[in-house]
Amino acid sequence: MNWRVDAAVQTPAHSALGDVLSYSSTRPLVPGTLVRVPLGRREVLGVAWSVHPADPAYEDAAGPMALKPVAGALDALTPLGEPWRDLVAFAARYYQRSLGEIALAALPPPLRELSAEQLARRLRRQAPAGAAVQEAPRPGPPPSAEQAQALARFEAEPGPFLLFGSTGSGKTEVYLQAVATLLEREPGAQALVMVPEINLTPQLEARFKDRFGAAAVVSLHSGMTNPQRLASWLAAHGGAARIVLGTRMAVFASLPSLRLIVVDEEHDPSYKQQEGARYSARDLAVWRGRREGAKVILGSATPSLESWHRSRPAEGEDAGGRYRRLEMPTRIGTAALPAVRLVDMGRQPPRTVLSAPLLEAIGQRVARGEQSMIFLNRRGYAPVLACSDCGWKSECPHCSAYRVFHKIDRTLRCHHCGFTERVPRACPACGNPDIAPVGRGTERLEEHLGELFAGVQRSDGSAVRIARIDADSTRRQGALQSQLAAVHAGDVDVLVGTQMIAKGHDFRRITLVAAANADGALFSSDFRAPERLFSLLMQSAGRAGRDAAYLSAQGSTAEMWIQTHHPQHPLFDALRRHDYPAFAQRELQERAAAGMPPFAFQALLRADARTQEAAQAFLNAASAAAEGLAGAGLVTRYPAVPHAIQRVANVERAQLLLESSSRAALQRLLAALQPILHGLRRAPEGKGVIRWLVDVDPQSI
């Protein structure tokens, strides 16, 4: 008897081939089995999604009606479980992508190339390591009163939980103790711990391995080599790894005994994938926890407004949110949150980069042997190079953006398409040799600090040591780890950097943090910009004064300095008081009045084309065709507009916003739009269109 195997494979984008392709098999495969199947002229990896007895009408069919046989099954690997397949199916359905695209992207790349025999040998080699005896967890420090209360509620209530704890309140210790309690109660259980950035994984991995032993912990993130990712994935899938630490991709890890999910810094935009399938790992973690009966903790000092709203307590006729809010407002020990000082830059001399009071405060820290951190979320030497005679600027010829001046290698580099050229000796337009940088990036700020502190000496008579950490200074393998180690060792007096240094790091000797230019997002057209700015500034402030004993020994206090032209802005008032609830209340009131998330649901339909006219015409045609579709009456469709950065790599980009107070209505419309979009792509309206995509719950508009 033959069987029909419906397999999820990674079909070409916008191929409209459907979620699964059918193949024939001489034996009944278990759903979830990895299979190698023919696709065109290639043989590709797929996942057997469902298996049925073959239809007699097709068994003797020939030509195009005949089902191609499965080339082979990777039987040595335990089939992917039904909960994992449900997660993939939900993500594909909700984020409007194909089943195979999500499923295959969730698997480690080496699996796509291994034959059944090669995989079997790989599993035999890994078996001894997987059989290693798990160490008993080492005891942690006794929890504080707030930590003990949060852990007690976590054990007693179903969740999901929002752990709202100030920076330095010991949220990581809560995660560690929650995992330890789980493994003590259920030795075979597994926990998934997610972080937003790759550079935060090593320090968290060190803490978990120190507590639980190296054999119990594996990491999963895109910074690993393919063999490392495969080994970690196999350890998790086989149950040998009890704890998986990873970035957003880890939400799709195969964990057959998953009982706990932690999403640290849950507010971070990095949890939203920005290429391909644009899923939110945080939201999928909550869905996965509910599907698999695993408890979920979302942790942050500055929660996303969506999570804050969903964790609101019941009040009057409002039944409250479905999350449980756990609060830890104070820092561990006697450490206090840093005092926030605002510098009105309108009262400073023109072209002031760092105000005199701030420089004096940094100098005092240097004299006492303490560390300072200056945050500027713009890398490079200057955002643009310009000619004062003719007005020429260093525009990218391929993008609607300027190329950034990098002085270290004397290049103009586009941070969108990567186009790089040497800095011209004179203005390309008029020949003026006096072209100058405009604005400042971290590279120029580092140089400026070096000039300002050139004559200053440390207490031991040596020169002030200034370091920079950003995407440019950490390109080489291991560069970030060595730079962070130098900061932790006290070999740096003033640290300059982008948001890479603003969150998650436990710097014990930093007592002053400064934001050099905090006004950029105050008046942005993106309604989420104030939320991101408040979070970034509060997280930056959290790097200062984390060690109460060190502060006491130094006779010092922790400070956060913010340079702004708008010191009276309500955002800064809430920040001075470290009052996230007040900020959140004000923002939520404004969003409720405007009908914006979390009180509405959004999706962006995006199109890339050879011309802006073609991109917008395609989107507007899709909007017109949506009239009368299921859910259309409850969804507002706005006209197509150019993307914020209209052109990237000579491709014009446009977007169309869809918004509704009903998530179900928006999803129905998006699903009904899919065949229309495929049809338009092949119609005259699609001429010149390179690709289109749907971005559900977008993080920026």
Side-chain angles (χ1 to χ4, degrees), residues 5-53:
V5 177
D6 294 334
V9 298
Q10 196 158 18
T11 51
H14 310 306
S15 59
L17 287 177
D19 271 342
V20 294
L21 299 180
S22 295
Y23 298 89
S24 66
S25 173
T26 55
R27 59 191 179 95
L29 298 173
V30 177
T33 300
L34 295 183
V35 291
R36 301 201 64 82
V37 293
L39 181 64
R41 298 180 179 179
R42 300 177 296 137
E43 187 177 281
V44 299
L45 182 69
V47 181
W49 216 256
S50 59
V51 181
H52 313 274

Side-chain angles (χ1 to χ4, degrees), residues 150 161-165 171 174-175 297-300 326-328:
F161 299 92
L162 174 65
L163 180 59
F164 171 49
K171 293 186 291 294
V174 171
Y175 308 152
I297 307 176
L298 311 177
S300 178
L326 310 175
E327 300 193 21
M328 299 196 309

Side-chain angles (χ1 to χ4, degrees), residues 514-537:
N517 181 10
D519 292 343
L522 285 179
F523 307 104
S524 170
S525 59
D526 187 345
F527 71 91
R528 295 186 193 273
E531 177 186 0
R532 287 196 290 265
L533 175 62
F534 187 91
S535 171
L536 201 50
L537 291 176

Side-chain angles (χ1 to χ4, degrees), residues 175-196:
Y175 308 152
L176 288 162
Q177 297 213 20
V179 173
T181 302
L182 169 69
L183 297 185
E184 183 179 353
R185 181 177 64 243
E186 195 175 342
Q190 292 177 300
L192 171 63
V193 182
M194 296 169 58
V195 293

Side-chain angles (χ1 to χ4, degrees), residues 413-427:
R413 193 181 309 158
C414 178
H415 290 175
H416 299 282
C417 72
F419 178 67
T420 303
E421 280 186 331
R422 298 287 296 174
V423 173
R425 294 183 178 275
C427 173

Side-chain angles (χ1 to χ4, degrees), residues 27 29 32-36 43-46 70-80 107 110-120 123 237:
R27 59 191 179 95
L29 298 173
T33 300
L34 295 183
V35 291
R36 301 201 64 82
E43 187 177 281
V44 299
L45 182 69
V70 170
L74 306 187
D75 290 328
L77 193 69
T78 307
L80 294 157
L107 300 176
L111 277 180
R112 302 174 197 175
E113 310 300 329
L114 295 178
S115 66
E117 296 75 17
Q118 290 171 325
L119 178 61
L123 288 170
H237 176 69

Side-chain angles (χ1 to χ4, degrees), residues 235-249:
H237 176 69
R242 295 286 171 253
I243 303 162
V244 173
L245 306 178
T247 51
R248 61 175 176 260
M249 68 160 56

Side-chain angles (χ1 to χ4, degrees), residues 346-362:
R347 298 187 176 184
Q348 301 297 315
R351 298 194 182 93
T352 296
V353 179
L354 297 174
S355 62
L358 174 56
L359 289 173
E360 182 182 353
I362 294 173

